[in-house]
Amino acid sequence: MTNDQEQITTETPPTVGRALSGSAVSAGIAFASYCLTSSIAQTFANKPIESQKLVVQNIGAAVRTLVVGISALATFIFAFAALGLFALSIQLLLQSFKTQPQKDGESS
């Protein structure tokens, strides 16, 4: 094998701090996406489609539904990622308590 074909990847193990910071960032993006979704839905509700043609109304309703749906999907993806990273940080914290070395004089 040549040096170009050999790729050394070093993965850093997850830490509590990294999981919590990732959770905070994801929660922030989820909140911003939620505010955007709410704003889009309110804007669409306040501005009805002003066409008498049925095809235009159907296409307009479909596009509006698609836009709100994609925005809501992004909101929930980031919210669940934040929840998962927060749960990971709790798991890592509990594991760190279990694997701490015992103090001198203590026996198990």
Side-chain angles (χ1 to χ4, degrees), residues 9-50:
T9 58
T10 57
E11 294 183 15
T12 57
T15 62
V16 176
R18 289 177 63 193
L20 280 177
S21 64
S23 177
V25 168
S26 185
I29 294 172
F31 180 73
S33 182
Y34 171 75
C35 292
L36 180 66
T37 301
S38 176
S39 175
I40 290 171
Q42 288 175 0
T43 301
F44 284 161
N46 291 332
K47 295 181 182 178
I49 300 170
E50 298 178 359

Side-chain angles (χ1 to χ4, degrees), residues 81-95:
L83 182 66
L85 285 169
F86 184 73
L88 176 65
S89 68
I90 291 173
Q91 181 184 14
L92 291 173
L93 189 63
L94 292 176
Q95 285 178 356

